């Protein structure tokens, strides 16, 4: 990757300003308040905010291209009206609020580098339902486009029972159930998450083929007799020892000859690429006790240590999927 010039470094340093403008607008639900067009005074009244400060925020949003302005009236763009205003069926604000919450943890990065672990205060109980709902909605939005591709690439024909470990909204279980008509899935997650999972499953119309189980993947056994296990976007939350222990529980939950699918960021051997995977290691530093992103060799070592004798990375590598087989008896 080419080195950044000093001017580019300065631009990157200041880019947080535009990010914060958008996040504040999102947090306040400003795009909904703008609606079909409104002056600053009307927007401020709808949001119960200061008129002068609201006008400054609105003008800044026009400057970065998130709103337009004509004769003192502010309007949503086609994109902000579609994705950020509550009146739109495509509104993505619920999931994007997770990025608002990430601002708090990323602000502690300097201290985390000093200490080696997350230093932000844990989410307090009053805010936890809000944080959890936003997180699950964001994960669901991100996964929708690739869930079907992963289900097809996994080649799960013949599997009858699947366990989706830490499955969140159940987006992958839904994709697998649609791709394989004889497959029945269970989504395993924490009790507050499972309450949300059921909503997504009902909306998908798959309640007869996808069930839920409550538990803690860090400590609980995962069941037994499954043909297929999926661990998607989980391992980056854990340290190496936790991941090997999780894979050992996955091994015990599989029927002989069953398969474990592990989908996550996979770093290249020098750990500096892909770019998003390297940056996400810092997201885990500020947000978890020991999480990170890992290389293919690390995953293979943990999986073999858990008892899997055959381990492969599925092609193409952009799918970021490791596959491990439990030997037949």
């Amino acid at each position: 990757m080419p080195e950044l010039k000093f001017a580019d470094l300065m631009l990157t340093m200041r880019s947080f300003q535009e990010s914060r403008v958008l996040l504040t607008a999102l947090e306040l639900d400003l795009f909904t308040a703008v609606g079909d067009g409104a002056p600053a005074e009307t927007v401020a009244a709808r949001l119960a905010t200061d008129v002068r400060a609201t006008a400054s925020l609105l003008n800044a949003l026009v400057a970065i291209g998130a709103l337009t302005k004509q004769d003192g009236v502010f309007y949503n763009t086609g994109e902000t009206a579609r994705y950020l205003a509550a009146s739109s069926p495509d509104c993505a604000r619920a999931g994007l609020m997770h990025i608002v919450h990430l601002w708090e943890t990323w602000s502690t990065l300097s201290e985390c580098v000093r200490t080696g672990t997350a230093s932000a205060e844990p989410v307090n109980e009053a805010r936890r339902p809000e944080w959890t709902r936003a997180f699950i909605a964001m994960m669901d939005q991100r996964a929708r486009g690739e869930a079907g591709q992963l289900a097809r690439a996994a080649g799960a024909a013949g599997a009858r029972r699947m366990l989706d470990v830490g499955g969140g909204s159940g987006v992958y279980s839904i994709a697998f159930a649609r791709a394989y008509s004889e497959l029945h899935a269970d989504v395993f997650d924490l009790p507050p998450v499972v309450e949300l999972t059921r909503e997504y499953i009902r909306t998908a119309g798959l309640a007869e083929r996808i069930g839920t189980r409550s538990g803690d993947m860090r400590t609980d056994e995962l069941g037994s007799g499954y043909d297929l296990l999926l661990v998607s976007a989980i391992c980056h939350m854990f340290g190496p020892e936790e991941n090997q222990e999780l894979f050992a529980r996955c091994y015990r939950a599989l029927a002989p000859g069953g398969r474990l699918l592990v989908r996550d960021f996979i770093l290249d051997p020098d750990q500096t690429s892909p770019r998003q995977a390297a940056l996400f290691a810092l997201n885990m530093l500020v947000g978890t006790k020991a999480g990170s992103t890992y290389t293919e060799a690390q995953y293979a070592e943990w999986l073999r240590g858990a008892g899997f004798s055959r381990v492969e990375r599925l092609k193409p590598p952009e799918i970021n999927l490791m596959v491990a087989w439990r030997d037949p008896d």
Side-chain angles (χ1 to χ4, degrees):
M1 184 174 178
E3 294 183 7
L4 288 177
K5 300 295 185 181
F6 182 68
D8 295 323
L9 290 170
M10 290 292 293
L11 183 63
T12 300
M13 289 180 193
R14 297 174 66 90
S15 63
F16 76 89
Q17 295 174 339
E18 294 189 11
S19 172
R20 187 62 252 182
V21 166
L22 282 169
L23 293 177
T24 292
L26 189 70
E27 187 171 9
L28 295 173
D29 203 9
L30 178 144
F31 301 102
T32 297
V34 168
D36 294 328
E41 294 80 5
T42 301
V43 175
R46 290 171 178 172
L47 298 178
T49 54
D50 178 80
V51 174
R52 183 182 67 87
T54 302
S56 294
L57 179 60
L58 288 162
N59 285 327
L61 287 161
V62 173
I64 66 175
L67 293 174
T68 62
K69 182 180 183 181
Q70 184 176 357
D71 298 328
V73 178
F74 296 89
Y75 299 91
N76 280 304
T77 66
E79 294 292 291
T80 57
R82 178 178 179 182
Y83 294 110
L84 302 179
S87 58
S88 169
D90 294 326
C91 182
R93 180 177 179 268
L96 293 173
M97 281 298 296
H98 178 59
I99 304 177
V100 174
H101 301 153
L102 287 180
W103 179 274
E104 301 174 18
T105 54
W106 271 82
S107 296
T108 68
L109 178 59
S110 298
E111 185 62 21
C112 293
V113 173
R114 292 188 183 100
T115 63
T117 190
S119 61
E121 290 294 323
V123 180
N124 65 50
E125 291 305 315
R127 289 186 59 202
R128 187 172 295 280
E130 168 198 351
W131 190 96
T132 299
R133 184 172 287 275
F135 177 77
I136 296 302
M138 170 63 83
M139 296 305 102
D140 184 77
Q141 290 169 9
R142 286 182 176 177
R144 284 181 195 174
E146 62 187 26
Q149 179 190 12
L150 188 149
R152 292 187 296 272
R160 296 293 183 270
R161 296 185 65 214
M162 170 182 167
L163 182 66
D164 188 352
V165 182
S169 70
V171 62
Y172 286 101
S173 290
I174 291 168
F176 272 81
R178 287 173 173 164
Y180 304 101
S181 59
E182 297 182 355
L183 182 69
H184 290 255
D186 291 326
V187 179
F188 182 95
D189 218 314
L190 295 168
V193 176
V194 163
E195 293 180 14
L196 301 176
T197 308
R198 293 178 182 133
E199 296 178 17
Y200 286 93
I201 293 171
R202 282 194 296 269
T203 299
L206 288 166
E208 292 184 0
R209 293 179 52 212
I210 303 175
T212 58
R213 290 177 48 211
S214 298
D216 188 341
M217 76 182 88
R218 293 176 182 266
T219 56
D220 294 343
E221 289 297 318
L222 303 174
S224 62
Y226 287 98
D227 305 302
L228 187 68
L229 259 71
L230 174 65
V231 175
S232 176
I234 296 298
C235 295
H236 58 248
M237 297 189 298
F238 300 153
E241 290 185 4
E242 291 174 303
N243 279 321
Q244 183 149 346
E245 291 170 359
L246 173 61
F247 290 159
R249 289 194 294 278
C250 289
Y251 184 90
R252 293 192 292 270
L254 281 169
R259 285 183 297 160
L260 168 63
L261 309 177
V262 180
R263 180 204 154 272
D264 216 305
F265 292 103
I266 300 180
L267 282 166
D268 291 338
D270 71 355
Q271 300 183 325
T272 64
S273 60
R275 176 190 177 102
Q276 188 58 33
L279 288 171
F280 203 81
L282 292 177
N283 193 48
M284 292 299 96
L285 173 65
V286 300
T288 67
K289 181 179 179 180
S292 188
T293 50
Y294 303 105
T295 66
E296 179 181 339
Q298 287 175 298
Y299 280 114
E301 178 185 355
W302 301 331
L303 289 163
R304 292 192 177 99
F308 295 95
S309 57
R310 180 185 170 195
V311 178
E312 295 179 4
R313 183 173 180 180
L314 195 70
K315 295 181 179 180
E318 291 77 18
I319 296 178
N320 290 326
L321 189 67
M322 301 289 295
V323 186
W325 285 261
R326 175 171 174 168
D327 286 339
D329 284 346

